[in-house]
Amino acid sequence: MRRPPIPGLVLADGWLAPYEREIKARMRLYDGQLQRVCRRYGSLLECANGHTRMGFNRDSATGEWIYREWAPGARALYLIGDFNGWNRQSHPMQMGADGVWQLRLPADALAHGQHVKVHVIGADNVGKDRMPAWIRYTEQDPATYDYSGIIWEPATPYQWKNTRWNPANVKTPFIYETHVGMAGEEERIHTYREFAENVLPRVKKLGYNVIQLMAVQEHPYYGSFGYHVSSFFAPCNRFGTPEDLKYLIDTAHGMGVAVLLDVVHSHAVKNEAEGLNNFDGSGGQYFKAGERDSRHPDWDSCLFDYGRNEVIEFLLSNLRYWLEEFRFDGFRFDGVTSMLYLHHGHEPFTDLGCYFNTMVNIDAVTYLQLAATLVQQVCPGAFAIAEDMSGMPGLCRPVDEGGFGFTHRLAMGLPDYWIKLLKEKKDEEWSVGDIWYTLINRRYGEPNIAYAESHDQALVGDKTIAFRLMDAEMYTHMSCTTPSLIVDRGMALHKMIRLATLAAGGEGWLNFMGNEFGHPEWIDFPREGNGNSYKYCRRQWGLVDNDLLRYRYLNEFDRAMVKLAQETDLLSAPPARPLNMDETNQVMAFERGGLVFVFNWSGERAIPNYLFPAPAHGEWRVVLDSDDLRFGGFGRQDHAVNHFTDKAQNLSVYVLPRSVIVLARSYRGGRRF
């Protein structure tokens, strides 16, 4: 492929000109890897079709079972399971020249639901029972906690009822991040079908158009939040069967809601019994060899070797499998920063040179470019969202420009900023200029998903925004009839922080399940330290459903906020621009998408006739007010009063303490959100 003389990434951002050589080198590496993939497999799509060749598949001509496993360093492999009484010698596999072992079995040798493993005599001459690498379903013995693979071939495959989600119907992603297991109210693990029946209607009512499913890929330790994956092609058995997961996705599509998989290709669990680690006994294979390169220093997990053809085939096939077999509508790629750098994000990013030096993992760069390209080939318009805190230039620019091809990146600095601010300063000391700079500081031309708090902040050991603001008062003073200055302050700032982040922070929005109504307490997975309790590993929907509690007010504000943003196409508009940054009064006013947002962060100053520049002459009316009674406010604004610009194109409004109003140009038939 002939490339233009100057990469589009450099043309779009002149500050990258000193790194034109490095960007071109990346483009050449991508082109070279793509050519090698095409020579080896025929095309990128065919490379990502490995799940039809590897693992358990049927011969289309004879109906026979063919089981294949890549284990180049192994001395011998034997298929074991229910079908042969777990005999470790009766069914040896034959090794091919490419390190792939194969075994053919009669069409009736294996049956749906049977348990299987593969016994591997490794390069170290040690025999171990292993989980087949490409297995599509697993099961854990509740008595022994031992995992085994399951042959999954139901007599009646799932019948899809709804057409696939259409990306043309969603201009902006409003993402509801969820964990199926903890999505119910009872103190237990909940299921895919329960989520479809009980939680999806809530998501739809709130106005979110995308759900992001965490912890779907099989993981042996529930408390890992799903991030220590063992079987990459298997839906988590704790929540139900593959057919149950399809039912969830199908139901979401019927509601017009897209479904993203939180995919983990940044690392893998180190467990040998359940996972891929040391599969062939060579100490490497799927992962980098050597202790320094093979282990993540923080996560105690294995790091993939992204430069190896078979690993690329495995991971790309994993993406295609989830897109096609389960009809996911895209991915949130976990741990992209860790993948991009050999230091895994442990060194500061002080200048542009940090993105192009020798600490960049070039193999991972090329893999991510291939992955983002593949996602669009398999499912045009699908989401590919990168969890990157480093600010890598070009992450969300086309590969042909020298970028990576992702559709969005997570604005990871925003939740970190809010928590730091809440920890270190009283709100009377907050700087509106500092808040504003943080909200708008991003790489424009590369869409961001804004969010005010991450799921990590909901875990035990940390606190959500609501919990940090109101703390113990949430246990005693959330009744609508129980006055509390702490709760009044907390609810007011909760609404303001979320709306400011949504309106100015990016081109999409993400919320973790329950944070929309200020879910109290933390998430604490069952573990030895808490007596293996599920008490805090659930969502207490009854709190928001109770009309006598204030949680419903925060929930209603979130619904109104999302509705306003969607119906005005706010996040597709150009970036927000400042109108007034008043440090003395802690008033922040800005415009985006034709709307004017006026925040008064002060806890004590109410200012009548506050004057600031308007973006246009005319009549303006309040369309959203955080102080509205229906949002748990005090109802101090008269929404019947419209506001007119003066000759100097200034607006005069009444700004109330700890509140935000949103104004729109008045028009006949207009309505409030």
PDB file of all heavy atoms in Angstrom, residues 80-110:
ATOM      1  N   ILE A  80      -8.756 -36.001  27.332  1.00  0.00           N
ATOM      2  CA  ILE A  80      -9.370 -36.773  28.415  1.00  0.00           C
ATOM      3  C   ILE A  80     -10.723 -36.170  28.750  1.00  0.00           C
ATOM      4  O   ILE A  80     -10.992 -34.992  28.468  1.00  0.00           O
ATOM      5  CB  ILE A  80      -8.475 -36.793  29.680  1.00  0.00           C
ATOM      6  CG1 ILE A  80      -8.233 -35.370  30.190  1.00  0.00           C
ATOM      7  CG2 ILE A  80      -7.158 -37.484  29.395  1.00  0.00           C
ATOM      8  CD1 ILE A  80      -7.426 -35.293  31.474  1.00  0.00           C
ATOM      9  N   GLY A  81     -11.604 -36.976  29.330  1.00  0.00           N
ATOM     10  CA  GLY A  81     -12.906 -36.454  29.704  1.00  0.00           C
ATOM     11  C   GLY A  81     -13.907 -37.539  30.024  1.00  0.00           C
ATOM     12  O   GLY A  81     -13.565 -38.733  30.147  1.00  0.00           O
ATOM     13  N   ASP A  82     -15.161 -37.136  30.139  1.00  0.00           N
ATOM     14  CA  ASP A  82     -16.236 -38.085  30.420  1.00  0.00           C
ATOM     15  C   ASP A  82     -16.297 -39.192  29.374  1.00  0.00           C
ATOM     16  O   ASP A  82     -16.617 -40.343  29.675  1.00  0.00           O
ATOM     17  CB  ASP A  82     -17.590 -37.353  30.458  1.00  0.00           C
ATOM     18  CG  ASP A  82     -17.699 -36.381  31.616  1.00  0.00           C
ATOM     19  OD1 ASP A  82     -16.965 -36.556  32.611  1.00  0.00           O
ATOM     20  OD2 ASP A  82     -18.517 -35.440  31.528  1.00  0.00           O
ATOM     21  N   PHE A  83     -15.984 -38.832  28.127  1.00  0.00           N
ATOM     22  CA  PHE A  83     -16.170 -39.764  27.014  1.00  0.00           C
ATOM     23  C   PHE A  83     -15.239 -40.983  27.101  1.00  0.00           C
ATOM     24  O   PHE A  83     -15.531 -42.042  26.536  1.00  0.00           O
ATOM     25  CB  PHE A  83     -15.962 -39.035  25.678  1.00  0.00           C
ATOM     26  CG  PHE A  83     -14.517 -38.791  25.328  1.00  0.00           C
ATOM     27  CD1 PHE A  83     -13.864 -39.602  24.406  1.00  0.00           C
ATOM     28  CD2 PHE A  83     -13.809 -37.761  25.931  1.00  0.00           C
ATOM     29  CE1 PHE A  83     -12.541 -39.384  24.086  1.00  0.00           C
ATOM     30  CE2 PHE A  83     -12.481 -37.539  25.614  1.00  0.00           C
ATOM     31  CZ  PHE A  83     -11.842 -38.353  24.687  1.00  0.00           C
ATOM     32  N   ASN A  84     -14.098 -40.841  27.804  1.00  0.00           N
ATOM     33  CA  ASN A  84     -13.164 -41.977  27.900  1.00  0.00           C
ATOM     34  C   ASN A  84     -12.807 -42.313  29.340  1.00  0.00           C
ATOM     35  O   ASN A  84     -11.767 -42.938  29.602  1.00  0.00           O
ATOM     36  CB  ASN A  84     -11.900 -41.722  27.071  1.00  0.00           C
ATOM     37  CG  ASN A  84     -11.033 -40.598  27.638  1.00  0.00           C
ATOM     38  OD1 ASN A  84     -11.391 -39.945  28.617  1.00  0.00           O
ATOM     39  ND2 ASN A  84      -9.887 -40.375  27.015  1.00  0.00           N
ATOM     40  N   GLY A  85     -13.682 -41.903  30.268  1.00  0.00           N
ATOM     41  CA  GLY A  85     -13.429 -42.206  31.671  1.00  0.00           C
ATOM     42  C   GLY A  85     -12.188 -41.540  32.219  1.00  0.00           C
ATOM     43  O   GLY A  85     -11.598 -42.031  33.175  1.00  0.00           O
ATOM     44  N   TRP A  86     -11.773 -40.430  31.606  1.00  0.00           N
ATOM     45  CA  TRP A  86     -10.612 -39.652  32.027  1.00  0.00           C
ATOM     46  C   TRP A  86      -9.317 -40.459  31.949  1.00  0.00           C
ATOM     47  O   TRP A  86      -8.398 -40.297  32.754  1.00  0.00           O
ATOM     48  CB  TRP A  86     -10.819 -39.078  33.437  1.00  0.00           C
ATOM     49  CG  TRP A  86     -12.001 -38.143  33.478  1.00  0.00           C
ATOM     50  CD1 TRP A  86     -13.288 -38.481  33.756  1.00  0.00           C
ATOM     51  CD2 TRP A  86     -11.991 -36.748  33.172  1.00  0.00           C
ATOM     52  NE1 TRP A  86     -14.105 -37.371  33.645  1.00  0.00           N
ATOM     53  CE2 TRP A  86     -13.328 -36.294  33.298  1.00  0.00           C
ATOM     54  CE3 TRP A  86     -11.011 -35.826  32.818  1.00  0.00           C
ATOM     55  CZ2 TRP A  86     -13.690 -34.971  33.057  1.00  0.00           C
ATOM     56  CZ3 TRP A  86     -11.370 -34.508  32.600  1.00  0.00           C
ATOM     57  CH2 TRP A  86     -12.698 -34.098  32.715  1.00  0.00           C
ATOM     58  N   ASN A  87      -9.256 -41.293  30.932  1.00  0.00           N
ATOM     59  CA  ASN A  87      -8.062 -42.094  30.681  1.00  0.00           C
ATOM     60  C   ASN A  87      -6.991 -41.210  30.032  1.00  0.00           C
ATOM     61  O   ASN A  87      -7.200 -40.678  28.940  1.00  0.00           O
ATOM     62  CB  ASN A  87      -8.417 -43.272  29.771  1.00  0.00           C
ATOM     63  CG  ASN A  87      -7.269 -44.245  29.601  1.00  0.00           C
ATOM     64  OD1 ASN A  87      -6.128 -43.856  29.440  1.00  0.00           O
ATOM     65  ND2 ASN A  87      -7.587 -45.536  29.635  1.00  0.00           N
ATOM     66  N   ARG A  88      -5.841 -41.082  30.680  1.00  0.00           N
ATOM     67  CA  ARG A  88      -4.800 -40.162  30.212  1.00  0.00           C
ATOM     68  C   ARG A  88      -3.897 -40.765  29.133  1.00  0.00           C
ATOM     69  O   ARG A  88      -2.909 -40.132  28.749  1.00  0.00           O
ATOM     70  CB  ARG A  88      -3.957 -39.687  31.390  1.00  0.00           C
ATOM     71  CG  ARG A  88      -4.718 -38.775  32.353  1.00  0.00           C
ATOM     72  CD  ARG A  88      -3.803 -38.234  33.448  1.00  0.00           C
ATOM     73  NE  ARG A  88      -4.490 -37.262  34.282  1.00  0.00           N
ATOM     74  CZ  ARG A  88      -5.244 -37.569  35.324  1.00  0.00           C
ATOM     75  NH1 ARG A  88      -5.406 -38.861  35.646  1.00  0.00           N
ATOM     76  NH2 ARG A  88      -5.832 -36.640  36.033  1.00  0.00           N
ATOM     77  N   GLN A  89      -4.218 -41.937  28.634  1.00  0.00           N
ATOM     78  CA  GLN A  89      -3.376 -42.564  27.622  1.00  0.00           C
ATOM     79  C   GLN A  89      -4.157 -42.989  26.379  1.00  0.00           C
ATOM     80  O   GLN A  89      -3.560 -43.196  25.318  1.00  0.00           O
ATOM     81  CB  GLN A  89      -2.689 -43.806  28.211  1.00  0.00           C
ATOM     82  CG  GLN A  89      -1.760 -43.519  29.392  1.00  0.00           C
ATOM     83  CD  GLN A  89      -0.550 -42.698  28.997  1.00  0.00           C
ATOM     84  OE1 GLN A  89      -0.021 -42.849  27.897  1.00  0.00           O
ATOM     85  NE2 GLN A  89      -0.113 -41.823  29.895  1.00  0.00           N
ATOM     86  N   SER A  90      -5.464 -43.109  26.471  1.00  0.00           N
ATOM     87  CA  SER A  90      -6.231 -43.763  25.402  1.00  0.00           C
ATOM     88  C   SER A  90      -6.414 -42.918  24.149  1.00  0.00           C
ATOM     89  O   SER A  90      -6.654 -43.463  23.067  1.00  0.00           O
ATOM     90  CB  SER A  90      -7.607 -44.188  25.930  1.00  0.00           C
ATOM     91  OG  SER A  90      -8.375 -43.055  26.307  1.00  0.00           O
ATOM     92  N   HIS A  91      -6.312 -41.594  24.247  1.00  0.00           N
ATOM     93  CA  HIS A  91      -6.586 -40.746  23.078  1.00  0.00           C
ATOM     94  C   HIS A  91      -5.444 -39.756  22.858  1.00  0.00           C
ATOM     95  O   HIS A  91      -5.564 -38.550  23.132  1.00  0.00           O
ATOM     96  CB  HIS A  91      -7.918 -40.007  23.249  1.00  0.00           C
ATOM     97  CG  HIS A  91      -9.113 -40.892  23.102  1.00  0.00           C
ATOM     98  ND1 HIS A  91      -9.540 -41.745  24.095  1.00  0.00           N
ATOM     99  CD2 HIS A  91      -9.959 -41.073  22.045  1.00  0.00           C
ATOM    100  CE1 HIS A  91     -10.607 -42.401  23.676  1.00  0.00           C
ATOM    101  NE2 HIS A  91     -10.876 -42.018  22.442  1.00  0.00           N
ATOM    102  N   PRO A  92      -4.306 -40.254  22.346  1.00  0.00           N
ATOM    103  CA  PRO A  92      -3.171 -39.363  22.064  1.00  0.00           C
ATOM    104  C   PRO A  92      -3.452 -38.493  20.845  1.00  0.00           C
ATOM    105  O   PRO A  92      -4.169 -38.880  19.926  1.00  0.00           O
ATOM    106  CB  PRO A  92      -2.023 -40.336  21.796  1.00  0.00           C
ATOM    107  CG  PRO A  92      -2.698 -41.565  21.270  1.00  0.00           C
ATOM    108  CD  PRO A  92      -4.004 -41.658  22.016  1.00  0.00           C
ATOM    109  N   MET A  93      -2.870 -37.312  20.856  1.00  0.00           N
ATOM    110  CA  MET A  93      -2.981 -36.399  19.728  1.00  0.00           C
ATOM    111  C   MET A  93      -1.687 -36.440  18.918  1.00  0.00           C
ATOM    112  O   MET A  93      -0.626 -36.805  19.440  1.00  0.00           O
ATOM    113  CB  MET A  93      -3.280 -34.980  20.225  1.00  0.00           C
ATOM    114  CG  MET A  93      -4.565 -34.887  21.049  1.00  0.00           C
ATOM    115  SD  MET A  93      -4.885 -33.238  21.719  1.00  0.00           S
ATOM    116  CE  MET A  93      -5.239 -32.309  20.210  1.00  0.00           C
ATOM    117  N   GLN A  94      -1.774 -36.055  17.642  1.00  0.00           N
ATOM    118  CA  GLN A  94      -0.620 -36.056  16.745  1.00  0.00           C
ATOM    119  C   GLN A  94      -0.185 -34.618  16.470  1.00  0.00           C
ATOM    120  O   GLN A  94      -1.006 -33.750  16.200  1.00  0.00           O
ATOM    121  CB  GLN A  94      -0.964 -36.762  15.430  1.00  0.00           C
ATOM    122  CG  GLN A  94      -1.414 -38.208  15.610  1.00  0.00           C
ATOM    123  CD  GLN A  94      -0.367 -39.069  16.275  1.00  0.00           C
ATOM    124  OE1 GLN A  94       0.822 -39.010  15.928  1.00  0.00           O
ATOM    125  NE2 GLN A  94      -0.802 -39.881  17.245  1.00  0.00           N
ATOM    126  N   MET A  95       1.113 -34.414  16.512  1.00  0.00           N
ATOM    127  CA  MET A  95       1.647 -33.062  16.317  1.00  0.00           C
ATOM    128  C   MET A  95       1.996 -32.823  14.852  1.00  0.00           C
ATOM    129  O   MET A  95       2.637 -33.645  14.209  1.00  0.00           O
ATOM    130  CB  MET A  95       2.882 -32.855  17.179  1.00  0.00           C
ATOM    131  CG  MET A  95       3.480 -31.454  17.090  1.00  0.00           C
ATOM    132  SD  MET A  95       4.929 -31.273  18.165  1.00  0.00           S
ATOM    133  CE  MET A  95       5.388 -29.568  17.838  1.00  0.00           C
ATOM    134  N   GLY A  96       1.592 -31.650  14.351  1.00  0.00           N
ATOM    135  CA  GLY A  96       1.944 -31.247  12.999  1.00  0.00           C
ATOM    136  C   GLY A  96       3.196 -30.395  12.984  1.00  0.00           C
ATOM    137  O   GLY A  96       3.763 -30.046  14.028  1.00  0.00           O
ATOM    138  N   ALA A  97       3.621 -30.040  11.783  1.00  0.00           N
ATOM    139  CA  ALA A  97       4.873 -29.292  11.627  1.00  0.00           C
ATOM    140  C   ALA A  97       4.788 -27.890  12.217  1.00  0.00           C
ATOM    141  O   ALA A  97       5.805 -27.284  12.548  1.00  0.00           O
ATOM    142  CB  ALA A  97       5.234 -29.215  10.144  1.00  0.00           C
ATOM    143  N   ASP A  98       3.573 -27.352  12.352  1.00  0.00           N
ATOM    144  CA  ASP A  98       3.398 -25.987  12.855  1.00  0.00           C
ATOM    145  C   ASP A  98       3.172 -25.927  14.360  1.00  0.00           C
ATOM    146  O   ASP A  98       2.786 -24.890  14.896  1.00  0.00           O
ATOM    147  CB  ASP A  98       2.233 -25.313  12.137  1.00  0.00           C
ATOM    148  CG  ASP A  98       0.942 -26.134  12.212  1.00  0.00           C
ATOM    149  OD1 ASP A  98       0.959 -27.223  12.823  1.00  0.00           O
ATOM    150  OD2 ASP A  98      -0.075 -25.682  11.664  1.00  0.00           O
ATOM    151  N   GLY A  99       3.399 -27.042  15.049  1.00  0.00           N
ATOM    152  CA  GLY A  99       3.213 -27.059  16.493  1.00  0.00           C
ATOM    153  C   GLY A  99       1.778 -27.245  16.922  1.00  0.00           C
ATOM    154  O   GLY A  99       1.466 -27.122  18.111  1.00  0.00           O
ATOM    155  N   VAL A 100       0.887 -27.556  15.971  1.00  0.00           N
ATOM    156  CA  VAL A 100      -0.520 -27.783  16.277  1.00  0.00           C
ATOM    157  C   VAL A 100      -0.767 -29.290  16.381  1.00  0.00           C
ATOM    158  O   VAL A 100      -0.480 -30.050  15.456  1.00  0.00           O
ATOM    159  CB  VAL A 100      -1.438 -27.161  15.208  1.00  0.00           C
ATOM    160  CG1 VAL A 100      -2.894 -27.550  15.455  1.00  0.00           C
ATOM    161  CG2 VAL A 100      -1.287 -25.640  15.200  1.00  0.00           C
ATOM    162  N   TRP A 101      -1.312 -29.712  17.505  1.00  0.00           N
ATOM    163  CA  TRP A 101      -1.657 -31.106  17.750  1.00  0.00           C
ATOM    164  C   TRP A 101      -3.106 -31.337  17.333  1.00  0.00           C
ATOM    165  O   TRP A 101      -3.943 -30.452  17.471  1.00  0.00           O
ATOM    166  CB  TRP A 101      -1.486 -31.445  19.222  1.00  0.00           C
ATOM    167  CG  TRP A 101      -0.073 -31.290  19.724  1.00  0.00           C
ATOM    168  CD1 TRP A 101       0.588 -30.132  19.978  1.00  0.00           C
ATOM    169  CD2 TRP A 101       0.834 -32.346  20.031  1.00  0.00           C
ATOM    170  NE1 TRP A 101       1.863 -30.379  20.418  1.00  0.00           N
ATOM    171  CE2 TRP A 101       2.042 -31.746  20.479  1.00  0.00           C
ATOM    172  CE3 TRP A 101       0.760 -33.739  19.987  1.00  0.00           C
ATOM    173  CZ2 TRP A 101       3.153 -32.480  20.863  1.00  0.00           C
ATOM    174  CZ3 TRP A 101       1.868 -34.481  20.385  1.00  0.00           C
ATOM    175  CH2 TRP A 101       3.057 -33.845  20.812  1.00  0.00           C
ATOM    176  N   GLN A 102      -3.392 -32.552  16.835  1.00  0.00           N
ATOM    177  CA  GLN A 102      -4.732 -32.827  16.308  1.00  0.00           C
ATOM    178  C   GLN A 102      -5.203 -34.224  16.692  1.00  0.00           C
ATOM    179  O   GLN A 102      -4.415 -35.163  16.820  1.00  0.00           O
ATOM    180  CB  GLN A 102      -4.734 -32.681  14.781  1.00  0.00           C
ATOM    181  CG  GLN A 102      -6.074 -32.990  14.124  1.00  0.00           C
ATOM    182  CD  GLN A 102      -6.069 -32.709  12.642  1.00  0.00           C
ATOM    183  OE1 GLN A 102      -5.723 -31.606  12.216  1.00  0.00           O
ATOM    184  NE2 GLN A 102      -6.443 -33.702  11.836  1.00  0.00           N
ATOM    185  N   LEU A 103      -6.509 -34.333  16.872  1.00  0.00           N
ATOM    186  CA  LEU A 103      -7.149 -35.625  17.130  1.00  0.00           C
ATOM    187  C   LEU A 103      -8.515 -35.634  16.459  1.00  0.00           C
ATOM    188  O   LEU A 103      -9.284 -34.682  16.593  1.00  0.00           O
ATOM    189  CB  LEU A 103      -7.325 -35.859  18.636  1.00  0.00           C
ATOM    190  CG  LEU A 103      -8.111 -37.108  19.049  1.00  0.00           C
ATOM    191  CD1 LEU A 103      -7.355 -38.375  18.664  1.00  0.00           C
ATOM    192  CD2 LEU A 103      -8.410 -37.075  20.548  1.00  0.00           C
ATOM    193  N   ARG A 104      -8.784 -36.704  15.722  1.00  0.00           N
ATOM    194  CA  ARG A 104     -10.109 -36.904  15.115  1.00  0.00           C
ATOM    195  C   ARG A 104     -10.876 -37.945  15.929  1.00  0.00           C
ATOM    196  O   ARG A 104     -10.317 -38.948  16.353  1.00  0.00           O
ATOM    197  CB  ARG A 104      -9.985 -37.370  13.668  1.00  0.00           C
ATOM    198  CG  ARG A 104      -9.713 -36.258  12.679  1.00  0.00           C
ATOM    199  CD  ARG A 104      -9.696 -36.772  11.242  1.00  0.00           C
ATOM    200  NE  ARG A 104      -9.602 -35.678  10.302  1.00  0.00           N
ATOM    201  CZ  ARG A 104     -10.630 -35.076   9.705  1.00  0.00           C
ATOM    202  NH1 ARG A 104     -11.867 -35.502   9.972  1.00  0.00           N
ATOM    203  NH2 ARG A 104     -10.451 -34.088   8.857  1.00  0.00           N
ATOM    204  N   LEU A 105     -12.181 -37.680  16.109  1.00  0.00           N
ATOM    205  CA  LEU A 105     -13.054 -38.590  16.839  1.00  0.00           C
ATOM    206  C   LEU A 105     -14.333 -38.818  16.044  1.00  0.00           C
ATOM    207  O   LEU A 105     -14.770 -37.928  15.298  1.00  0.00           O
ATOM    208  CB  LEU A 105     -13.416 -38.009  18.211  1.00  0.00           C
ATOM    209  CG  LEU A 105     -12.279 -37.870  19.226  1.00  0.00           C
ATOM    210  CD1 LEU A 105     -12.750 -37.062  20.422  1.00  0.00           C
ATOM    211  CD2 LEU A 105     -11.796 -39.235  19.670  1.00  0.00           C
ATOM    212  N   PRO A 106     -14.962 -39.967  16.186  1.00  0.00           N
ATOM    213  CA  PRO A 106     -16.234 -40.202  15.505  1.00  0.00           C
ATOM    214  C   PRO A 106     -17.267 -39.141  15.879  1.00  0.00           C
ATOM    215  O   PRO A 106     -17.193 -38.518  16.944  1.00  0.00           O
ATOM    216  CB  PRO A 106     -16.652 -41.584  16.008  1.00  0.00           C
ATOM    217  CG  PRO A 106     -15.381 -42.233  16.439  1.00  0.00           C
ATOM    218  CD  PRO A 106     -14.503 -41.144  16.955  1.00  0.00           C
ATOM    219  N   ALA A 107     -18.242 -38.967  15.014  1.00  0.00           N
ATOM    220  CA  ALA A 107     -19.241 -37.920  15.189  1.00  0.00           C
ATOM    221  C   ALA A 107     -20.000 -38.047  16.499  1.00  0.00           C
ATOM    222  O   ALA A 107     -20.460 -37.042  17.070  1.00  0.00           O
ATOM    223  CB  ALA A 107     -20.212 -37.930  14.006  1.00  0.00           C
ATOM    224  N   ASP A 108     -20.147 -39.280  16.990  1.00  0.00           N
ATOM    225  CA  ASP A 108     -20.915 -39.485  18.221  1.00  0.00           C
ATOM    226  C   ASP A 108     -20.029 -39.685  19.451  1.00  0.00           C
ATOM    227  O   ASP A 108     -20.508 -40.076  20.522  1.00  0.00           O
ATOM    228  CB  ASP A 108     -21.845 -40.688  18.068  1.00  0.00           C
ATOM    229  CG  ASP A 108     -21.085 -41.980  17.767  1.00  0.00           C
ATOM    230  OD1 ASP A 108     -19.848 -41.915  17.569  1.00  0.00           O
ATOM    231  OD2 ASP A 108     -21.735 -43.040  17.733  1.00  0.00           O
ATOM    232  N   ALA A 109     -18.731 -39.405  19.329  1.00  0.00           N
ATOM    233  CA  ALA A 109     -17.813 -39.648  20.438  1.00  0.00           C
ATOM    234  C   ALA A 109     -18.007 -38.649  21.574  1.00  0.00           C
ATOM    235  O   ALA A 109     -17.835 -38.981  22.749  1.00  0.00           O
ATOM    236  CB  ALA A 109     -16.373 -39.599  19.943  1.00  0.00           C
ATOM    237  N   LEU A 110     -18.322 -37.416  21.223  1.00  0.00           N
ATOM    238  CA  LEU A 110     -18.525 -36.366  22.217  1.00  0.00           C
ATOM    239  C   LEU A 110     -19.971 -35.899  22.168  1.00  0.00           C
ATOM    240  O   LEU A 110     -20.570 -35.824  21.090  1.00  0.00           O
ATOM    241  CB  LEU A 110     -17.595 -35.180  21.960  1.00  0.00           C
ATOM    242  CG  LEU A 110     -16.084 -35.468  21.972  1.00  0.00           C
ATOM    243  CD1 LEU A 110     -15.302 -34.228  21.566  1.00  0.00           C
ATOM    244  CD2 LEU A 110     -15.648 -35.947  23.347  1.00  0.00           C
TER     245      LEU A 110
END
